[in-house]
Amino acid sequence: MNSPQYQGPGPYNTPHYTAPVPPVPSPRKPSRAKAWVTHGAVAFVALLIGTGIGSSGEADADGKAGASAKPGPTVTATATATATETAKAAPAPTVTKTVTAKPKKTEKPGPPSTFSGDGEYLVGEDIAAGTYKTAGGDGSFGCYWARLKDASGEFDAIIANNNLEGPGRVTLNKGEYFQTKRCAEWKKAG
């Protein structure tokens, strides 16, 4: 049996009895949702500060800080009763590169590779060097051709010559003169 506790003399010299005292509640713990929001906001702010510190220390090869930094996403944080995160991607820069096309080399027009049947030509200047062919005489008398050392007209200037009755070929070297009379058109064959 429980006996009441004696508290000492009361105002009238009677024992004083008290009711049991209820326990005092401990301070309330925050709800889990509020803890997540608070810790998330603190972590996000720490991330922003760390990113700012990290990017401010970068330097390019010339020692200029931030000169080579590329534009990145913009992050905005608002901390109130709840944390809100908004990320917007910056538009990519437009790069235009101008390329100047080099013109193709055009070969200088060289000496012609066909020529008429009458005349005296300097090989390499008036006509191109190479092997030429002709159909033969132009119909009146045979076709005469001569390879010459020079244009002196002397007999000893002749390297080779021939009178053709039909088709013929001759190889001409650069620096020689070529004389032709009463021949059909000469065309380069090789």
Side-chain angles (χ1 to χ4, degrees):
M1 188 169 211
N2 285 341
S3 65
Q5 295 180 357
Y6 179 71
Q7 297 291 322
Y12 300 104
N13 219 3
T14 59
H16 181 61
Y17 296 97
T18 59
V21 178
V24 176
S26 63
R28 278 182 92 187
K29 292 183 181 178
S31 70
R32 284 187 167 231
K34 188 175 180 182
W36 276 105
V37 170
T38 304
H39 293 298
V42 170
F44 183 70
V45 170
L47 176 68
L48 289 177
I49 291 171
T51 304
I53 291 171
S55 66
S56 68
E58 292 179 0
D60 63 2
D62 297 335
K64 298 177 187 170
S68 64
K70 296 180 182 174
T74 303
V75 179
T76 305
T78 305
T80 57
T82 60
T84 305
E85 179 180 335
T86 305
K88 295 180 182 178
T94 302
V95 178
T96 304
K97 184 175 182 181
T98 303
V99 178
T100 304
K102 295 180 182 177
K104 293 181 180 179
K105 281 190 171 181
T106 55
E107 294 183 21
K108 294 180 182 176
S113 56
T114 61
F115 54 95
S116 66
D118 286 333
E120 188 172 281
Y121 306 94
L122 176 58
V123 179
E125 187 176 306
D126 298 329
I127 57 173
T131 302
Y132 288 84
K133 65 181 179 177
T134 184
D138 63 3
S140 59
F141 191 67
C143 167
Y144 172 78
W145 63 263
R147 289 176 48 214
L148 307 168
K149 290 187 226 178
D150 56 42
S152 66
E154 299 292 324
F155 185 73
D156 61 345
I158 297 174
I159 301 169
N161 64 353
N162 197 358
N163 281 308
L164 299 174
E165 293 297 324
R169 290 179 181 256
V170 63
T171 300
L172 305 174
N173 300 313
K174 187 175 181 178
E176 297 178 343
Y177 285 86
F178 182 67
Q179 185 181 52
T180 177
K181 294 181 184 175
R182 300 175 309 278
C183 297
E185 182 179 54
W186 291 90
K187 294 181 182 179
K188 192 170 183 182

